[in-house]
Amino acid sequence: MPTFFAICPRGLEPFLADELAAIGAEDIRPIAGGVFFSGDWPTCYRANLESRIATRILWHLVKGPYAKEEDIYRLAVRQLWPNHFAVSSTMRVVTTAIKCPLKSIDYVTLRVKDAVCDRFREDLGERPDINTRNPDVSIHVFLTENECTLYLDTSGQPLWQRGFRKASVDAPLKENLAAGILKMTGWTPEQALVDPMCGSGTFLLEAIQVALDRAPGLDRTFGFERLKHFQALEWANIRAAAEARVKPAQPLAIRGYDIDERAVRATRRNLQESGFGGIVAVDRADLLEIEAPGESGILVSNPPYGERIGEQEELAAFYPQLGAALKRHWAGWNCFFFTADLRLPKLVGLKPGRKTPLFNGPLECRLFEFRMVAGSNRHGAAHREA
């Protein structure tokens, strides 16, 4: 039975493991940065189609020891690459390493490329072309201190590329990280959801897909479709079953706001082009003035991090106002803020119920939860009744 490695943002491994278990994966083993699992090829297809959290799914080919670059070449040249993909396919090699003693990772990449091409030449008399930007097939090399693992990518473009978001704003959150954060909030479609700083609408788009039970990969193609053992009929059945279970679009208790009119326009455009126009409300508004649209629900936001000194000073002035607004307007709600600015809890003047470490790429962040207890702020209650 084939074995695979599903990559994900660090901190979301347990949630990815749950997703894989739900689609029938076996031998599930989370490690830092992803989850190993085994399953038949239809399981791999479902993982690519259904996972909201994975970045990509890699097919594990071989692992072996190495001391120098030529050991890696010999490991790679022994693999029967022509059995896996056609010589007419374009290819690239991607190398990542942890504690690797070799001087040049680029040279390792070159030697693995040579090995693949040499194997094709020996078996077929010709070699595939290289395309580093948009290849048909990607070979992934992972190096530790003394071991090399070779993988074939089954995803193609990263899985967070749902095929939806056309309009973007500065520093958008990747879709799989947004989906993982939503999972961590405990939100379910029966609850109200508000993103008061919605940017280009990533949280909203991910929540809509959950509410409609829509597989995140329905609008895209995958790398496994270009591998030789691709089971087209199995894939067609899996995809058709996922399409059949999608619920009809209808108004949802999901709302987005942003103080920046450009962000509001970007979100509305993304919703419209995704086929979700009109089922969630998106308006221009200041977070400090927004009233909660109900007695309870989930507020989730990815506020600016303040990477420059001036921005940090602005945020230091903004946070106390945010704390006052949460107490005044959001009693009864669970409020979540995802940020790399670890000053946030102290400066908003609220104690987080949870502070979960997560990574946005290489950037260490926290997901802070503030439970705004209903009835604890008399002024807030009076303010809403007025």
Side-chain angles (χ1 to χ4, degrees), residues 163-174:
F164 278 163
R165 195 171 58 187
K166 303 293 190 280
S168 190
V169 294
D170 293 342
L173 203 61
K174 285 188 170 63

Side-chain angles (χ1 to χ4, degrees), residues 92-110:
R92 71 173 170 190
V93 176
V94 179
T95 305
T96 53
I98 295 176
K99 297 181 179 175
C100 173
L102 301 178
K103 289 182 180 177
S104 172
I105 299 302
D106 288 342
Y107 185 58
V108 171
T109 301
L110 181 64

Side-chain angles (χ1 to χ4, degrees), residues 286-304:
D286 185 341
L287 167 56
L288 301 179
E289 298 170 2
I290 298 168
E291 297 270 359
E295 292 185 357
S296 65
I298 301 291
L299 179 151
V300 63
S301 182
N302 174 36

